[in-house]
Amino acid sequence: MLSKLSWKSVRSRYYHYVVYLIGMIFAVAIYYSFNAITYDQVLLNSVGSEVALKAFLSFGALLIAVMILSFMFTINRFFFTRRAKEVGIYQLIGMKKRQIAGLFFSEIYILGLAALVIGIFFGIVFSKLFSMILIKVMVLNVESAVNFSIPSIVDTVLVFLLLLLMVSLHSAYLIYSYRLSGFFKQEERPIIEAKELTIRQAILGVLGILLIIGGYVLSLNVVTFLFDPLLGTIGFLLLPFVLIGLCGAGTYLFFKYTIHIFIHLFIKKKGGYYQGLSMLVAGNTRLHLYKGSNTLTTITIFIACSLGFIGGSATFYTLGIDNVNAMNPTDFIVNRALYESVESSIGLQGALVDSVALQFKSVGSQYHYYVGKEKTTSEDPINLLSLTNYRAYQKINPYLKTVNLSDDEQAILFVQRTQSLLRYDSVFQLVGGATLKATETMADYLGDPLLRYNRPTLVVTDELFDSIDNGVPYSLMAFNVKRSQRSELSEQLSKKFAKEWQFPIYYDIIQSGGEVTGYVSETSKKTGSEAVDTEKEGWTLNYTDRQTDLVYSRKLLGALIYIVLFLGIFALIISGSVLMVRQFAEAERERSTYRLLERLGIPQKQVRRLVYQQNIIIFFLPMLLGIFHAFFAVHLFNQLVPSSGYRLAYISCGLLILIYILYYVLTSRIYCWIVENDELSGGK
C-alpha cells in the first residue's frame, strides 16, 4: 500500500522526473563517450605520447561527474522539499524513517539505473560523432569508429552507482534530520506589495546596478590599472577577485531588489498597470524573482562561467596557432652553420620552394622596460637586422608588415606576443655611442626568439647596420618546402638533428657617465689576463620546425576545445533544467490562483499569455545578464593577451539562446497544462 501511495505521488509529478531523467541520460552519454575514447588505441596512437589525451579526457570525465553530482543533489533536495508533507503522512501512519528512506532509495535507483542504461545506449550510438568531432578539432588523419567498449561500460556503471549511493545518503540525511512538525509547516510566502517600493529596496536595487557597472568599468580598463602607480602589482593581482565579488554581489542584488525598481516604474505608468492582467504579471514576477533570487544568481554566474571558459578556450586556441605562426613563420629556420648539413642529408634541392639568409648582429645595449609601475633597466645584447634584409624576408614570410625608416636614428622594435604586458622604452643606447629610437613596436613574427639569443630585435637602416662592428654577427636560413613533402622532411630533420643549444656569446655591459660600454664576444674573457668576473653568456637554438609545432599545438589545443565545449554545453543544459523544474513547482503553487482567474471569466488565452510573460523574464533575464558578464570577462582576458578568437564564443552564445528558447517554450506549455489540469490538484 505504501509503495502504491509513493508511486501515486511520483506519478502526479512525473514531469519533474522526466526533466531529471533526460538530464541524467545526456550526462551518462557524454561521460561514456569521454571514457570510451580513452580506450580507443587507434585514436590514442594517432595523437602520440606528446599530448596526454587520455589524461585530458579522464579529467574532463571527472569534471562531468562532479557536475552531475551537483545537479543530482540540487534536484534531490528540491524533490524532497516538494514531498515534505507526504513524508510527514508516512510518519503519522507509523512508517519508520528507514522505511521512508528505502522508498526514496528505490526511486533514486530506478531513475538512476534507467538513465544509466539509456545513456550508455546513446553514448555507444553517438560515440562515433564524439570521436569525429575530436578528430576534427585535433586535425588528425584517422578513421573514427563506434566505440563499444566493455571497460568504458564498466567504468561508467561503477561511477554512476557511486553517485547514486551518494545521493541516497543525501536523501537519508534529509529524512533523518527533519522533524515531523517541519513537514507540516506552511510554506512561507514573502509579502511584497506590488505597488510600493521601499527606500531600502530602492537603495539596494541601485547599489546592485552600480556594482555590476563598476565591475564592467574595471574590466574595460584592466590594463590602465596594471600601470597605475597607486594600485601596484599586488592590487592588480587582487583585481580579478574584486571583479568577481562586484559582479556576484551585484547580480544577487539585481534579482533581489533592482528588478523591483523596473517593475515599480512600469506600474507607475498611467493606464499600463491595470490593462488586462498586467497587475498580476507584475505581482507574480516580483514574487518569483524575489523568492528565486539565489537560484537565478547561481544560474547567471553558471552561464557566465560556462561562456567565459568556452570563449577563453577559443582564445587560447587562436593564441596557440598564432604563436606557431610567430615562432615558425616559414617551414624551417636553421642556423646558417647547420644549413649545409641539412641540405645535403635530407635532400632539399627537389623540395625547396624559396629561402632567404637572415644576417643579424648581436650588439651590447642598455634599454628600459616597465612591468606595471616598476621600471627595469636592462644591460644586455639586442639583435639588429637591416631594413633590406627584412624586406627580403618579408617576401617569404606572410606575417610580416611593411615598415619604413627615415634616418639612421630610427628603428622598429619587434616584441614577443607573450610579452604584451611589458612596455619598452623607445630609447636604446648601443655600445659605441649610437642611440636608437623605436618609432614603432610590432609583434615579433621573425621566428623563435630562442634562435636570436632570446633578446629583442630592432630593424635598422642598412647604413647603421653596416657601420656597427663591435657586435657578434650570425646568420639564419629561413626556407619553405613543397606542401607534399613537409611532413616527411620534418620527420627526417628530427631524426638526424637533435635540437640543441649552440654558438654561445659572452658579454659584459655597463653604463657609466651616460655612456654604455662593454663587449659582446664569441669568446669568453673569464680566463687570461683580461679576466672578467661579471661576464654573462647566452646561447642560441640550432633550428625550428613549423610542421612539428603546428601538429602538436593542434592536438593539444584541440583536446582543450573539445573538453571545454562539451562541459560548457552540459553546464548550460543543467542550468536550464534547474529553471524548468523550479517553474513546474511554481505552477503547482499558483494553480489555485489561475483556476480562480478562470472562474472569474478570464479567457484561457489571456491566462496562457500571462504564463508566457512570466517565464520569459525568468528564463531570459539570467541568460542575458550571464552573456553580458561573459562578454566583459572575455574582453578583460583579451586586453591581457590580445586575440581574435571569439567565433566559438559567439557560436556558444547562439547555442545558449537556442537551448533557453527550447526550455522556455517547453516549460511554458507544461506550466499551462499543470495549472489547467484538474487531475493534478490532488498531487498538490
Side-chain angles (χ1 to χ4, degrees):
M1 180 179 176
L2 294 175
S3 300
K4 290 182 179 179
L5 288 174
S6 177
W7 169 245
K8 182 179 179 181
S9 177
V10 172
R11 188 177 59 182
S12 66
R13 296 187 180 94
Y14 70 89
Y15 36 85
H16 292 286
Y17 295 94
V18 169
V19 176
Y20 176 71
L21 184 63
I22 291 174
M24 289 290 293
I25 290 172
F26 186 79
V28 173
I30 292 182
Y31 184 89
Y32 171 83
S33 298
F34 269 57
N35 200 275
I37 294 175
T38 64
Y39 291 98
D40 188 343
Q41 290 302 320
V42 175
L43 180 57
L44 294 177
N45 291 337
S46 67
V47 173
S49 59
E50 69 272 12
V51 176
L53 178 61
K54 188 171 183 178
F56 266 99
L57 294 173
S58 298
F59 181 69
L62 176 62
L63 292 180
I64 290 175
V66 172
M67 292 170 64
I68 294 170
L69 184 61
S70 301
F71 173 66
M72 293 170 72
F73 270 32
T74 302
I75 298 298
N76 187 59
R77 177 178 286 276
F78 175 80
F79 286 168
F80 184 83
T81 303
R82 297 302 301 154
R83 298 176 63 184
K85 291 184 179 180
E86 177 188 339
V87 176
I89 293 173
Y90 291 156
Q91 283 191 294
L92 283 178
I93 63 177
M95 196 172 182
K96 296 181 179 179
K97 287 186 176 182
R98 59 182 177 83
Q99 292 176 305
I100 299 173
L103 285 177
F104 275 76
F105 289 178
S106 63
E107 293 174 12
I108 291 170
Y109 276 95
I110 289 172
L111 284 171
L113 293 176
L116 188 60
V117 172
I118 300 172
I120 289 177
F121 170 76
F122 280 108
I124 294 172
V125 171
F126 290 103
S127 62
K128 182 178 178 66
L129 175 62
F130 284 111
S131 298
M132 289 174 62
I133 294 173
L134 180 60
I135 290 169
K136 181 69 175 177
V137 296
M138 297 184 72
V139 196
L140 301 175
N141 185 21
V142 63
E143 290 291 332
S144 61
V146 176
N147 291 308
F148 181 79
S149 172
I150 298 298
S152 298
I153 294 175
V154 173
D155 288 350
T156 305
V157 169
L158 291 177
V159 167
F160 275 84
L161 287 178
L162 177 61
L163 295 181
L164 292 174
L165 175 61
M166 296 174 71
V167 175
S168 300
L169 294 175
H170 180 244
S171 293
Y173 168 77
L174 294 176
I175 292 171
Y176 278 92
S177 62
Y178 269 50
R179 296 183 180 275
L180 182 60
S181 58
F183 291 130
F184 293 97
K185 186 178 180 180
Q186 186 70 24
E187 181 182 9
E188 295 182 1
R189 295 173 61 87
I191 300 174
I192 298 177
E193 294 294 336
K195 296 183 63 177
E196 294 182 5
L197 181 69
T198 65
I199 296 176
R200 176 175 174 273
Q201 287 176 343
I203 293 174
L204 292 175
V206 172
L207 179 61
I209 288 288
L210 292 178
L211 289 176
I212 293 175
I213 293 175
Y216 290 169
V217 171
L218 286 177
S219 68
L220 290 173
N221 298 276
V222 64
V223 175
T224 304
F225 287 102
L226 170 63
F227 298 113
D228 189 336
L230 297 177
L231 188 62
T233 304
I234 296 178
F236 175 74
L237 295 176
L238 294 175
L239 191 58
F241 301 98
V242 174
L243 291 174
I244 294 173
L246 288 175
C247 289
T251 301
Y252 174 78
L253 294 177
F254 179 85
F255 287 113
K256 195 84 171 180
Y257 300 105
T258 306
I259 194 65
H260 301 320
I261 297 177
F262 294 108
I263 295 177
H264 181 74
L265 294 176
F266 166 74
I267 63 181
K268 285 294 184 182
K269 182 181 177 182
K270 289 185 178 181
Y273 184 57
Y274 294 102
Q275 264 187 352
L277 298 176
S278 298
M279 179 173 62
L280 188 57
V281 172
N284 277 3
T285 301
R286 291 186 73 177
L287 180 62
H288 291 179
L289 291 173
Y290 186 87
K291 288 169 53 181
S293 55
N294 292 338
T295 302
L296 295 176
T297 299
T298 303
I299 288 175
T300 300
I301 301 301
F302 213 51
I303 290 173
C305 291
S306 299
L307 294 178
F309 281 127
I310 292 174
S313 66
T315 301
F316 270 116
Y317 187 90
T318 303
L319 287 173
I321 299 303
D322 187 69
N323 186 62
V324 173
N325 296 334
M327 298 293 179
N328 304 273
T330 58
D331 291 338
F332 300 93
I333 303 178
V334 303
N335 192 284
R336 186 62 182 268
L338 181 65
Y339 180 71
E340 293 182 2
S341 300
V342 171
E343 187 178 28
S344 61
S345 62
I346 65 176
L348 291 178
Q349 293 301 327
L352 199 64
V353 174
D354 46 43
S355 63
V356 64
L358 300 173
Q359 307 293 338
F360 291 95
K361 286 183 180 178
S362 183
V363 181
S365 71
Q366 182 196 65
Y367 56 91
H368 309 285
Y369 61 87
Y370 297 84
V371 181
K373 67 173 185 177
E374 299 176 3
K375 180 179 180 181
T376 301
T377 299
S378 179
E379 294 168 344
D380 292 300
I382 61 171
N383 301 293
L384 300 182
L385 178 67
S386 69
L387 182 59
T388 298
N389 202 187
Y390 173 86
R391 289 173 175 169
Y393 189 29
Q394 188 180 6
K395 294 179 180 178
I396 71 167
N397 184 341
Y399 308 104
L400 295 181
K401 297 181 179 179
T402 301
V403 299
N404 293 290
L405 298 170
S406 58
D407 57 58
D408 292 349
E409 294 183 356
Q410 291 186 353
I412 306 297
L413 173 64
F414 287 83
V415 179
Q416 302 173 46
R417 292 179 64 89
T418 54
Q419 297 179 344
S420 59
L421 295 180
L422 299 183
R423 288 191 307 168
Y424 282 86
D425 191 83
S426 60
V427 177
F428 289 77
Q429 290 183 277
L430 306 184
V431 172
T435 300
L436 297 174
K437 183 176 182 180
T439 57
E440 188 175 359
T441 300
M442 305 184 70
D444 189 345
Y445 285 92
L446 298 172
D448 194 334
L450 297 179
L451 294 166
R452 292 169 278 134
Y453 298 100
N454 202 26
R455 295 291 186 269
T457 297
L458 294 174
V459 171
V460 298
T461 61
D462 294 3
E463 292 77 13
L464 178 66
F465 184 85
D466 294 336
S467 66
I468 293 177
D469 56 4
N470 57 3
V472 173
Y474 64 96
S475 179
L476 302 175
M477 284 294 299
F479 58 93
N480 293 314
V481 297
K482 294 179 180 178
R483 184 184 185 90
S484 59
Q485 296 180 269
R486 287 175 187 169
S487 298
E488 180 184 351
L489 293 176
S490 174
E491 186 177 352
Q492 292 184 31
L493 185 64
S494 63
K495 286 182 178 180
K496 295 184 179 181
F497 301 96
K499 286 189 176 183
E500 56 186 22
W501 299 102
Q502 296 180 340
F503 311 109
I505 58 171
Y506 305 90
Y507 60 93
D508 181 41
I509 303 165
I510 59 174
Q511 197 271 348
S512 178
E515 184 178 355
V516 180
T517 60
Y519 65 89
V520 179
S521 172
E522 293 179 281
T523 57
S524 174
K525 295 186 178 182
K526 282 188 176 181
T527 58
S529 58
E530 298 181 359
V532 180
D533 294 332
T534 57
E535 183 180 84
K536 302 176 184 177
E537 63 183 68
W539 296 74
T540 179
L541 197 63
N542 57 344
Y543 77 89
T544 60
D545 171 8
R546 176 182 175 84
Q547 185 69 17
T548 300
D549 290 349
L550 183 61
V551 170
Y552 173 77
S553 296
R554 282 175 172 172
K555 290 178 180 179
L556 180 65
L557 298 171
L560 174 66
I561 287 284
Y562 177 83
I563 293 170
V564 172
L565 183 60
F566 277 102
L567 288 176
I569 293 174
F570 182 55
L572 299 180
I573 291 175
I574 285 178
S575 65
S577 299
V578 171
L579 273 182
M580 194 177 198
V581 173
R582 179 186 178 277
Q583 288 308 99
F584 290 165
E586 293 298 329
E588 292 175 357
R589 294 190 188 101
E590 301 291 339
R591 183 186 292 115
S592 59
T593 302
Y594 287 103
R595 300 313 298 269
L596 178 60
L597 291 176
E598 291 183 8
R599 295 190 187 100
L600 292 174
I602 303 297
Q604 190 180 75
K605 184 177 181 180
Q606 282 189 272
V607 174
R608 291 188 174 186
R609 185 182 302 159
L610 168 63
V611 170
Y612 278 88
Q613 288 174 348
Q614 289 180 174
N615 283 335
I616 199 170
I617 295 174
I618 296 298
F619 275 91
F620 291 100
L621 197 58
M623 182 197 73
L624 292 176
L625 192 57
I627 289 175
F628 274 113
H629 288 351
F631 170 80
F632 284 98
V634 174
H635 183 76
L636 181 151
F637 182 77
N638 186 62
Q639 291 179 74
L640 301 178
V641 187
S643 170
S644 58
Y646 292 114
R647 182 178 301 176
L648 187 59
Y650 295 146
I651 293 174
S652 300
C653 286
L655 184 60
L656 167 65
I657 293 172
L658 290 177
I659 290 173
Y660 267 61
I661 287 175
L662 178 62
Y663 272 115
Y664 162 69
V665 172
L666 289 176
T667 302
S668 299
R669 290 186 176 182
I670 298 174
Y671 196 114
C672 292
W673 175 77
I674 293 173
V675 299
E676 295 169 4
N677 197 327
D678 291 326
E679 295 180 0
L680 297 176
S681 299
K684 184 179 176 182

PDB file of all heavy atoms in Angstrom, residues 175-186:
ATOM      1  N   ILE A 175      15.998  13.039   5.437  1.00  0.00           N
ATOM      2  CA  ILE A 175      14.882  12.382   6.139  1.00  0.00           C
ATOM      3  C   ILE A 175      15.133  12.325   7.636  1.00  0.00           C
ATOM      4  O   ILE A 175      14.251  12.634   8.451  1.00  0.00           O
ATOM      5  CB  ILE A 175      14.659  10.963   5.566  1.00  0.00           C
ATOM      6  CG1 ILE A 175      14.134  11.056   4.126  1.00  0.00           C
ATOM      7  CG2 ILE A 175      13.694  10.174   6.438  1.00  0.00           C
ATOM      8  CD1 ILE A 175      14.096   9.736   3.403  1.00  0.00           C
ATOM      9  N   TYR A 176      16.327  11.947   8.037  1.00  0.00           N
ATOM     10  CA  TYR A 176      16.616  11.783   9.464  1.00  0.00           C
ATOM     11  C   TYR A 176      16.818  13.119  10.181  1.00  0.00           C
ATOM     12  O   TYR A 176      16.715  13.186  11.406  1.00  0.00           O
ATOM     13  CB  TYR A 176      17.855  10.913   9.649  1.00  0.00           C
ATOM     14  CG  TYR A 176      17.562   9.432   9.550  1.00  0.00           C
ATOM     15  CD1 TYR A 176      17.660   8.769   8.334  1.00  0.00           C
ATOM     16  CD2 TYR A 176      17.185   8.698  10.666  1.00  0.00           C
ATOM     17  CE1 TYR A 176      17.387   7.421   8.219  1.00  0.00           C
ATOM     18  CE2 TYR A 176      16.907   7.339  10.571  1.00  0.00           C
ATOM     19  CZ  TYR A 176      17.009   6.706   9.342  1.00  0.00           C
ATOM     20  OH  TYR A 176      16.719   5.367   9.239  1.00  0.00           O
ATOM     21  N   SER A 177      17.116  14.183   9.440  1.00  0.00           N
ATOM     22  CA  SER A 177      17.357  15.480  10.081  1.00  0.00           C
ATOM     23  C   SER A 177      16.104  16.330  10.196  1.00  0.00           C
ATOM     24  O   SER A 177      16.085  17.300  10.952  1.00  0.00           O
ATOM     25  CB  SER A 177      18.428  16.262   9.303  1.00  0.00           C
ATOM     26  OG  SER A 177      17.988  16.525   7.978  1.00  0.00           O
ATOM     27  N   TYR A 178      15.046  15.978   9.454  1.00  0.00           N
ATOM     28  CA  TYR A 178      13.803  16.749   9.514  1.00  0.00           C
ATOM     29  C   TYR A 178      12.933  16.258  10.676  1.00  0.00           C
ATOM     30  O   TYR A 178      12.863  15.066  10.948  1.00  0.00           O
ATOM     31  CB  TYR A 178      13.028  16.609   8.201  1.00  0.00           C
ATOM     32  CG  TYR A 178      13.366  17.672   7.193  1.00  0.00           C
ATOM     33  CD1 TYR A 178      14.683  17.962   6.873  1.00  0.00           C
ATOM     34  CD2 TYR A 178      12.357  18.384   6.556  1.00  0.00           C
ATOM     35  CE1 TYR A 178      14.998  18.921   5.940  1.00  0.00           C
ATOM     36  CE2 TYR A 178      12.664  19.357   5.613  1.00  0.00           C
ATOM     37  CZ  TYR A 178      13.990  19.623   5.312  1.00  0.00           C
ATOM     38  OH  TYR A 178      14.297  20.578   4.392  1.00  0.00           O
ATOM     39  N   ARG A 179      12.294  17.212  11.318  1.00  0.00           N
ATOM     40  CA  ARG A 179      11.345  16.881  12.383  1.00  0.00           C
ATOM     41  C   ARG A 179       9.938  16.814  11.809  1.00  0.00           C
ATOM     42  O   ARG A 179       9.624  17.478  10.824  1.00  0.00           O
ATOM     43  CB  ARG A 179      11.410  17.920  13.500  1.00  0.00           C
ATOM     44  CG  ARG A 179      12.752  17.961  14.214  1.00  0.00           C
ATOM     45  CD  ARG A 179      12.721  18.956  15.359  1.00  0.00           C
ATOM     46  NE  ARG A 179      14.007  18.990  16.051  1.00  0.00           N
ATOM     47  CZ  ARG A 179      14.363  18.170  17.014  1.00  0.00           C
ATOM     48  NH1 ARG A 179      13.517  17.230  17.412  1.00  0.00           N
ATOM     49  NH2 ARG A 179      15.536  18.263  17.584  1.00  0.00           N
ATOM     50  N   LEU A 180       9.071  16.059  12.452  1.00  0.00           N
ATOM     51  CA  LEU A 180       7.713  15.867  11.965  1.00  0.00           C
ATOM     52  C   LEU A 180       6.967  17.192  11.857  1.00  0.00           C
ATOM     53  O   LEU A 180       6.230  17.425  10.903  1.00  0.00           O
ATOM     54  CB  LEU A 180       6.949  14.915  12.891  1.00  0.00           C
ATOM     55  CG  LEU A 180       5.510  14.574  12.473  1.00  0.00           C
ATOM     56  CD1 LEU A 180       5.506  13.904  11.110  1.00  0.00           C
ATOM     57  CD2 LEU A 180       4.851  13.684  13.524  1.00  0.00           C
ATOM     58  N   SER A 181       7.187  18.098  12.818  1.00  0.00           N
ATOM     59  CA  SER A 181       6.493  19.383  12.779  1.00  0.00           C
ATOM     60  C   SER A 181       6.896  20.200  11.560  1.00  0.00           C
ATOM     61  O   SER A 181       6.113  20.974  11.025  1.00  0.00           O
ATOM     62  CB  SER A 181       6.794  20.178  14.052  1.00  0.00           C
ATOM     63  OG  SER A 181       8.201  20.371  14.183  1.00  0.00           O
ATOM     64  N   GLY A 182       8.116  20.011  11.113  1.00  0.00           N
ATOM     65  CA  GLY A 182       8.580  20.752   9.948  1.00  0.00           C
ATOM     66  C   GLY A 182       7.928  20.310   8.659  1.00  0.00           C
ATOM     67  O   GLY A 182       7.826  21.074   7.699  1.00  0.00           O
ATOM     68  N   PHE A 183       7.464  19.061   8.620  1.00  0.00           N
ATOM     69  CA  PHE A 183       6.849  18.566   7.394  1.00  0.00           C
ATOM     70  C   PHE A 183       5.507  19.247   7.119  1.00  0.00           C
ATOM     71  O   PHE A 183       5.069  19.342   5.992  1.00  0.00           O
ATOM     72  CB  PHE A 183       6.617  17.061   7.488  1.00  0.00           C
ATOM     73  CG  PHE A 183       7.897  16.273   7.469  1.00  0.00           C
ATOM     74  CD1 PHE A 183       8.152  15.308   8.426  1.00  0.00           C
ATOM     75  CD2 PHE A 183       8.843  16.492   6.489  1.00  0.00           C
ATOM     76  CE1 PHE A 183       9.332  14.570   8.406  1.00  0.00           C
ATOM     77  CE2 PHE A 183      10.010  15.766   6.461  1.00  0.00           C
ATOM     78  CZ  PHE A 183      10.268  14.809   7.420  1.00  0.00           C
ATOM     79  N   PHE A 184       4.838  19.694   8.210  1.00  0.00           N
ATOM     80  CA  PHE A 184       3.515  20.288   8.032  1.00  0.00           C
ATOM     81  C   PHE A 184       3.542  21.809   8.146  1.00  0.00           C
ATOM     82  O   PHE A 184       2.508  22.443   8.163  1.00  0.00           O
ATOM     83  CB  PHE A 184       2.544  19.713   9.072  1.00  0.00           C
ATOM     84  CG  PHE A 184       2.277  18.261   8.855  1.00  0.00           C
ATOM     85  CD1 PHE A 184       2.979  17.297   9.573  1.00  0.00           C
ATOM     86  CD2 PHE A 184       1.365  17.847   7.909  1.00  0.00           C
ATOM     87  CE1 PHE A 184       2.740  15.953   9.354  1.00  0.00           C
ATOM     88  CE2 PHE A 184       1.131  16.506   7.694  1.00  0.00           C
ATOM     89  CZ  PHE A 184       1.819  15.552   8.409  1.00  0.00           C
ATOM     90  N   LYS A 185       4.731  22.358   8.245  1.00  0.00           N
ATOM     91  CA  LYS A 185       4.839  23.806   8.353  1.00  0.00           C
ATOM     92  C   LYS A 185       4.424  24.454   7.039  1.00  0.00           C
ATOM     93  O   LYS A 185       4.893  24.077   5.964  1.00  0.00           O
ATOM     94  CB  LYS A 185       6.282  24.196   8.699  1.00  0.00           C
ATOM     95  CG  LYS A 185       6.447  25.688   8.978  1.00  0.00           C
ATOM     96  CD  LYS A 185       7.882  25.990   9.371  1.00  0.00           C
ATOM     97  CE  LYS A 185       8.071  27.459   9.655  1.00  0.00           C
ATOM     98  NZ  LYS A 185       9.454  27.782  10.029  1.00  0.00           N
ATOM     99  N   GLN A 186       3.556  25.424   7.147  1.00  0.00           N
ATOM    100  CA  GLN A 186       3.075  26.093   5.943  1.00  0.00           C
ATOM    101  C   GLN A 186       4.232  26.837   5.280  1.00  0.00           C
ATOM    102  O   GLN A 186       5.028  27.511   5.944  1.00  0.00           O
ATOM    103  CB  GLN A 186       1.956  27.094   6.311  1.00  0.00           C
ATOM    104  CG  GLN A 186       1.281  27.753   5.114  1.00  0.00           C
ATOM    105  CD  GLN A 186       0.431  26.771   4.318  1.00  0.00           C
ATOM    106  OE1 GLN A 186      -0.011  25.758   4.858  1.00  0.00           O
ATOM    107  NE2 GLN A 186       0.233  27.044   3.052  1.00  0.00           N
TER     108      GLN A 186
END
